[in-house]
Amino acid sequence: MSGGSGRTVVVLGGGVAGLTAAMELAERGFEVTVVEPSGWGGKARSASVPGTGTGGRLDLPSEHGFRFFPGFYRSLPDTMRRIPLEGSSSGVEGNLREAPQMLSARSGRIGETVADVSLATGPRTPLQILRARGMRLGAEGELNEELLYFANRMLVYMTSSAERRLGQWERTSWWDFTAADGASEEYRKVCVVGATRTVVAARAEVCSAHTVGGFLEAFGYGFLGRGEAQAADRVLNAPTSTAWIDPWVRHLDRLGVRLELGWRVERLRVRGRAVVGAVLRGPGTRRREVDADWYVCALPVDRIGALLERGLAEADPELKKTAGLRTDWMVGLQFYLTEPTPITRGHVIYQDSPWALTSISQAQFWDTDFRATYGDGTVADCLSVDISSWDTPGILYGKPARECTRAEVVAEVWAQLTDALDDGRRRTLHEGLLHSWHLDPAVRNLDGPGPATNDEALLINTTGSWELRPTAETAAVNLFMAGDFVRCPVNLATMEGANQSGRAATNALLRAAGHGGEPAVVHALYEAEELRRLKEVDAALYRQGRAHILDTPPPWSCRTGDSRFSTTG
């Protein structure tokens, strides 16, 4: 590809953000090339376990972590609807299936709850949402003062102005916002730690209340039936690449997008305020340079650092701030079972697991006969588990996951699952079910030598990190940023955020190019109109340096001078 026509674009990175930008730009007549070193779809792609398929069956499927599509996702489903799929009037969105239940599993099954989150049930009440948290209540199931205080925290966030969210809650940890100090272990486990570790793989002590509060707000509106009428939780009907990424890549090819796999950007060449070329490294020692009129950098945040010293910071010195962003591990482990084991019709959150486990039984949602399609003919189900805490000692070996061997990680996860799912009378999981397992190969060195590493770490939104995150537009006249770390309405490292960033990069490029076409829609999160006036009042209070009108100390603490109740805290 050669620049000069004003229509050529190189997209660096073929994850969700990069593929989104490529699709939006190709639809508007640009000549797009996407270069990707590892695999189309990035962290969203699925893979397989080599050599496990026999008798004409496919190899057993694996994922970096299970996929789910919450009801507040709007931009990503719009993209999926526009990816053609034979026999589906809604494109690959037609491959989504509702997950109508959510199980909060507890040790020994004592106090577990199953929440009906199906669309057919209709709107729910805030009281139902609170009970669905899975917090162990009194004998009569009454809401105790801690759960009521958690309701207060959510109401405070939902009625906070945009100014307070960015000015105060962005700088306040979720731990402090929820007043975890002095609360019971049960409250901290379910309402504080559980809200971060099992969803965004971040410690409550460092994750911002702006991020966690916004995520729970979006989920809550979905469960309340507010916003678009779509299921609160959806999953795919096949492995991610089969159901979504592969059809997407074929569609891009039909649009004329040039897709180059196996090439990694090594350096940007910058002249003045413009990028004039990108040096790529391919298989072995092969190198080449590409040039274009426009560049979209859609690399993961953990790959940005190496490029900063190789042209990226020269293009825009402000991008050096991204070096302050932090990542953590959220890793997928698949258990292949010899019998169908649908623990529940949806996701399971293991509230008492030290490693912050979540899982889903996949075969029940897939449109194929698992046993006849995958493996050696004896595997009937895949229990897909996400491990979100790698620094907490486990219950079997007393070691954090980072210090375990791969086999010890697997045994420890199995032990934590059975601790929650077995009560001494019922055994949901037992050794006879286990055919084999597969732990994400992006985690390296668990068996030594040296410390364990993760090639697919996930951005976590620590307090104050919003200021470190770039916008889609940069100081370079022809360089734009995309990725789940780029500022967008979904303030969380998700596929929705990656998709929104690809759309934002498209729009910034269109403005720079003087393109007269319709911009890509970056969907805003739902806001309740009846709370608008309260937000306006709060904006005025915040400008005066006063606390939120509903913000009160927790009932277990009468401390004064708490930083949570001051805009300067």
Side-chain angles (χ1 to χ4, degrees):
M1 172 181 288
S2 178
S5 68
R7 311 290 289 180
T8 59
V9 184
V10 167
V11 178
L12 306 170
V16 171
L19 296 183
T20 299
M23 179 172 160
E24 297 289 348
L25 290 165
E27 289 178 345
R28 289 161 176 79
F30 286 84
E31 301 171 35
V32 182
T33 295
V34 186
V35 294
E36 162 60 34
S38 304
W40 302 119
K43 288 189 286 290
R45 71 187 185 277
S46 56
S48 57
V49 186
T52 55
T54 65
R57 286 175 288 268
L58 301 174
D59 287 339
L60 291 170
S62 66
E63 304 266 359
H64 289 281
F66 57 69
R67 309 281 159 245
F68 80 114
F69 299 78
F72 66 85
Y73 280 18
R74 298 175 63 198
S75 294
L76 187 64
D78 173 71
T79 294
M80 297 176 78
R81 280 190 291 271
R82 291 154 47 202
I83 301 170
L85 182 69
E86 185 176 356
S88 171
S89 60
S90 58
V92 299
E93 189 192 30
N95 283 336
L96 291 176
R97 299 289 180 269
E98 182 180 28
Q101 293 180 323
M102 182 179 66
L103 169 64
S104 292
R106 305 304 304 261
S107 179
R109 306 187 77 108
I110 299 172
E112 72 175 19
T113 60
V114 179
D116 181 350
V117 298
S118 67
L119 187 63
T121 304
R124 294 160 188 84
T125 66
L127 182 61
Q128 288 173 306
I129 295 176
L130 283 175
R131 293 186 185 279
R133 292 297 306 165
M135 189 169 176
R136 291 185 175 125
L137 304 175
E140 302 299 323
E142 71 275 6
L143 299 182
N144 60 29
E145 65 177 13
E146 290 184 319
L147 200 53
L148 290 172
Y149 185 70
F150 178 73
N152 167 267
R153 307 323 295 152
M154 288 308 305
L155 186 58
V156 166
Y157 187 84
M158 293 169 71
T159 55
S160 287
S161 61
E163 294 89 342
R164 190 181 299 278
R165 293 186 184 200
L166 275 176
Q168 184 176 5
W169 304 142
E170 171 65 22
R171 292 172 172 79
T172 304
S173 72
W174 181 246
W175 182 273
D176 288 340
F177 180 78
T178 53
D181 285 331
S184 71
E185 179 63 25
E186 179 72 2
Y187 173 82
R188 290 198 296 266
K189 182 181 295 183
V190 176
C191 297
V192 183
V193 176
T196 58
R197 274 307 204 189
T198 56
V199 177
V200 296
R203 291 189 297 113
E205 295 90 336
V206 301
C207 197
S208 78
H210 179 211
T211 293
V212 183
F215 181 81
L216 294 179
E217 175 187 42
F219 255 118
Y221 280 135
F223 292 152
L224 289 169
R226 307 300 293 267
E228 292 193 13
Q230 56 188 19
D233 188 1
R234 294 188 289 181
V235 296
L236 289 164
N237 65 349
T240 307
S241 291
T242 302
W244 170 29
I245 303 299
D246 291 346
W248 198 2
V249 171
R250 290 193 293 270
H251 178 55
L252 292 173
D253 182 65
R254 288 191 295 268
L255 288 173
V257 175
R258 186 174 177 180
L259 299 156
E260 300 196 12
L261 190 61
W263 293 91
R264 181 189 303 273
V265 59
E266 193 172 71
R267 179 180 297 277
L268 295 180
R269 288 202 304 109
V270 180
R271 185 182 304 133
R273 293 183 57 236
V275 176
V276 296
V279 179
L280 308 178
R281 177 187 287 273
T285 59
R286 295 175 61 192
R287 276 191 178 87
R288 55 186 269 251
E289 184 171 333
V290 294
D291 62 275
D293 300 301
W294 312 99
Y295 297 82
V296 176
C297 181
L299 301 175
V301 65
D302 55 321
R303 303 285 171 85
I304 290 291
L307 201 59
L308 284 172
E309 302 305 318
R310 298 176 179 177
L312 192 60
E314 183 182 354
D316 185 350
E318 284 292 302
L319 292 173
K320 291 180 181 178
K321 291 181 179 179
T322 60
L325 294 172
R326 293 177 56 180
T327 60
D328 210 332
W329 296 13
M330 194 171 192
V331 176
L333 168 62
Q334 286 81 46
F335 290 107
Y336 304 105
L337 309 178
T338 56
E339 296 295 334
T341 312
I343 296 170
T344 195
R345 287 282 295 168
H347 290 93
V348 184
I349 298 175
Y350 298 85
Q351 299 280 18
D352 300 310
S353 62
W355 289 4
L357 304 180
T358 48
S359 76
I360 193 164
S361 301
Q362 293 185 313
Q364 62 183 320
F365 297 104
W366 290 6
D367 292 346
T368 58
D369 182 324
F370 198 100
R371 198 191 303 268
T373 306
Y374 302 102
D376 61 5
T378 66
V379 180
D381 207 345
C382 174
L383 179 61
S384 187
V385 183
D386 275 357
I387 310 167
S388 297
S389 179
W390 284 74
D391 300 304
T392 308
I395 64 175
L396 195 60
Y397 301 105
K399 298 189 296 184
R402 292 177 195 265
E403 298 178 11
C404 292
T405 66
R406 296 184 82 83
E408 287 174 340
V409 168
V410 173
E412 179 71 59
V413 170
W414 187 266
Q416 292 183 33
L417 296 178
T418 55
D419 175 67
L421 298 175
D422 297 344
D423 60 4
R425 301 184 304 276
R426 266 190 307 172
R427 298 187 66 199
T428 304
L429 299 178
H430 56 84
E431 293 296 337
L433 279 176
L434 185 57
H435 174 278
S436 54
W437 53 266
H438 183 263
L439 181 63
D440 187 353
V443 178
R444 304 179 185 273
N445 295 331
L446 282 174
D447 296 312
T453 60
N454 186 352
D455 293 341
E456 301 280 358
L458 187 71
L459 173 76
I460 57 171
N461 299 64
T462 55
T463 54
S465 61
W466 180 265
E467 294 180 354
L468 308 178
R469 295 166 61 185
T471 60
E473 193 171 8
T474 74
V477 295
N478 63 341
L479 174 66
F480 309 93
M481 301 298 295
D484 58 16
F485 63 97
V486 174
R487 295 182 188 180
C488 59
V490 175
N491 180 30
L492 188 69
T494 58
M495 296 183 296
E496 175 79 350
N499 182 273
Q500 289 185 341
S501 74
R503 291 165 178 252
T506 295
N507 293 342
L509 192 157
L510 295 179
R511 289 191 296 270
H515 192 280
E518 285 293 320
V521 178
V522 182
H523 297 85
L525 292 173
Y526 173 80
E527 294 188 59
E529 175 60 26
E530 56 265 45
L531 299 183
R532 179 178 58 82
R533 181 56 184 150
L534 283 171
K535 292 181 180 180
E536 292 172 349
V537 169
D538 185 59
L541 291 173
Y542 182 77
R543 287 192 295 270
Q544 297 166 18
R546 298 166 63 186
H548 190 288
I549 194 171
L550 300 176
D551 202 359
T552 59
W556 53 89
S557 172
C558 296
R559 293 170 301 179
T560 59
D562 192 314
S563 63
R564 291 180 304 104
F565 308 109
S566 168
T567 59
T568 59

